[in-house]
Amino acid sequence: MKRVILICLAAILSFCSCGANFEYAREDFFTMSTYATLVADGAEKSDIDMVKETLLAIEKKFSATNENSLVYRYNNGKRDILDDECMYVINAANKVACDTDGAFDYTLGSLVRLWNINGENPSVPDKNALDEALLHTGYKKVVIDSGVSLEDEGIMLDFGGIVKGYAGDAAVVRLKKAGISDCMLSIGGNITMLGTSQSNKIKGQTGWTVAITNPYDKQNVLGYITTTDCTVSVSGDYERYFVQNGEVYHHIFDSKTGYPAQTDLRSVAVICDDGIYADALSTALFVMGKDAALDFYAKGLYDFEAVFCTKDGKVLTTDGIKDLFIPEKTAAYINGKNIEFTK
Ligand code: ADP
Ligand code: MG
């Protein structure tokens, strides 16, 4: 799911000594049902193993499909005590759900399971089954205090829209504690960064340069952002979907209808200091659509920036990022027309 392509020349030099002072480690691996890349200046094998173990432990806890995971067990009636880490993620998920009026909703497990978009041969579910699944959703039916209780025992939690962002935060904090000051961890469409890439250091720049994929042409990009100490998270309709009778059905649902969100956006990239919020907000803004997303940004509830790509071939940036975003002017839309960049 490489929706964000890392532009990092130095990263190609995996595990090689680059001059007397530093060693650049790069590791590509599969985790949390997606591809991950870690690039870390000065990292040793033990640091890389620590990152992998951290992500594996988070997957084992939060996976909605692994039968041994805590969330799977919880969803299937084994109401184990939710530990501090679960409570941290649930509290963040619930905050975004409340603040976005359910555009982000972590209780869509029954819908996600029914649509089974990541499974083999997905198809549009039967209307009755959809209505039944929809009945057992809704973050307002979750009561959170020191623990969690459900007003509807049929609710299934699903953290697919937030947990990769959380995992990026958790792994990078640990790398920092281990003494790493320049690293980048990409998990699917989420890139968490610390410090500066080697190639940018050479150029005298600070930060990492990430490229935002063009949803109309996945091998190419919409543009670049050089930033650091934050996460860039992308949600879109172009990675996980199926087509039935000419209609595209993607994996981000509208909690009000139970269907894939009907939105005027193809993708949203959110840039935020906290990966957990970058991830949840990118999902929420995609569901909201462009105008509601811009209104949400203007409310200032969260400190974030965003890059939107619309279904009519336009790219828009929020005020705080417009000078940082470098458009790829040749980026193509449908029938070879150029994407239009507006600030
Ligand atoms: P990805 O997981 O591909 O990076 P997102 O972060 O946007 O993309 O999350 C999509 C996942 O979140 C879905 O696969 C599903 O598990 C869950 N999800 C789907 N719709 C919503 C929604 N409206 N709110 C919260 N989570 C959702
Ligand atoms: Mg998300």
Side-chain angles (χ1 to χ4, degrees):
M1 307 301 131
K2 292 214 166 159
R3 272 174 275 151
V4 183
I5 303 163
L6 187 76
I7 305 298
C8 176
L9 189 65
I12 296 161
L13 308 169
S14 55
F15 290 111
C16 85
S17 259
C18 306
N21 296 328
F22 39 63
E23 199 170 75
Y24 228 118
R26 174 182 172 134
E27 183 91 347
D28 297 291
F29 51 104
F30 195 79
T31 186
M32 309 182 96
S33 311
T34 191
Y35 296 98
T37 298
L38 170 67
V39 181
D41 210 348
E44 294 176 4
K45 186 173 178 304
S46 58
D47 298 313
I48 294 168
D49 289 346
M50 180 270 288
V51 167
K52 287 184 175 173
E53 279 157 23
T54 301
L55 301 184
L56 191 65
I58 292 172
E59 183 179 14
K60 275 193 176 160
K61 198 176 278 185
F62 291 95
S63 166
T65 49
N66 178 336
E67 293 184 11
N68 297 317
S69 87
L70 194 143
V71 167
Y72 184 95
R73 288 165 55 84
Y74 190 88
N75 283 342
N76 287 280
K78 304 225 164 41
R79 308 287 197 218
D80 298 359
I81 302 290
L82 299 175
D83 63 9
D84 288 352
E85 189 177 40
C86 286
M87 291 309 295
Y88 175 74
V89 174
I90 289 181
N91 275 305
N94 195 57
K95 176 172 165 45
V96 180
C98 294
D99 291 339
T100 63
D101 192 24
F104 181 86
D105 192 333
Y106 60 100
T107 66
L108 304 187
S110 54
L111 279 175
V112 173
R113 199 173 65 166
L114 181 66
W115 279 89
N116 194 19
I117 287 191
N118 295 326
E120 279 174 29
N121 303 321
S123 63
V124 177
D126 168 78
K127 181 82 176 80
N128 291 335
L130 248 177
D131 289 344
E132 174 64 21
L134 195 56
L135 213 58
H136 300 297
T137 64
Y139 68 97
K140 288 183 183 161
K141 298 180 205 158
V142 180
V143 181
I144 303 178
D145 39 42
S146 55
V148 172
S149 52
L150 305 177
E151 286 176 2
D152 169 358
E153 285 294 312
I155 281 198
M156 298 182 117
L157 306 177
D158 182 290
F159 297 104
I162 192 167
V163 79
K164 291 201 285 290
Y166 165 66
D169 287 340
V172 168
V173 160
R174 288 188 188 177
L175 281 172
K176 197 173 177 181
K177 279 197 189 138
I180 304 291
S181 49
D182 300 295
C183 63
M184 176 298 299
L185 175 62
S186 162
I187 312 170
N190 291 268
I191 292 191
T192 304
M193 293 152 272
L194 193 66
T196 295
S197 70
Q198 250 180 45
S199 51
N200 280 342
K201 274 184 192 164
I202 292 163
K203 286 189 256 169
Q205 286 181 349
T206 302
W208 294 79
T209 303
V210 295
I212 312 293
T213 296
N214 181 352
Y216 293 98
D217 175 8
K218 287 196 279 176
Q219 304 311 315
N220 286 303
V221 304
L222 294 174
Y224 306 90
I225 306 167
T226 299
T227 183
T228 194
D229 300 340
C230 65
T231 294
V232 178
S233 172
V234 185
S235 289
D237 66 3
Y238 57 94
E239 286 288 2
R240 299 187 192 218
Y241 64 90
F242 65 90
V243 181
Q244 190 172 319
N245 298 331
E247 283 280 323
V248 172
Y249 297 91
H250 59 74
H251 74 313
I252 302 177
F253 299 104
D254 183 334
S255 59
K256 297 191 169 64
T257 65
Y259 282 84
Q262 299 268 4
T263 169
D264 56 357
L265 297 170
R266 298 249 18 226
S267 71
V268 185
V270 167
I271 301 101
C272 181
D273 287 359
D274 294 310
I276 193 167
Y277 289 111
D279 193 358
L281 289 175
S282 67
T283 308
L285 300 190
F286 179 80
V287 172
M288 285 179 195
K290 184 191 75 176
D291 290 343
L294 287 171
D295 288 348
F296 181 81
Y297 173 77
K299 275 206 260 175
L301 290 176
Y302 295 80
D303 194 4
F304 73 93
E305 302 298 335
V307 179
F308 302 99
C309 181
T310 68
K311 279 190 175 157
D312 58 356
K314 295 192 175 75
V315 169
L316 291 95
T317 45
T318 51
D319 285 349
I321 197 97
K322 60 178 189 245
D323 295 329
L324 277 184
F325 179 75
I326 310 296
E328 176 58 64
K329 295 221 169 73
T330 58
Y333 167 52
I334 297 167
N335 298 332
K337 279 201 320 204
N338 275 356
I339 296 263
E340 198 183 309
F341 292 95
T342 46
K343 291 204 170 180

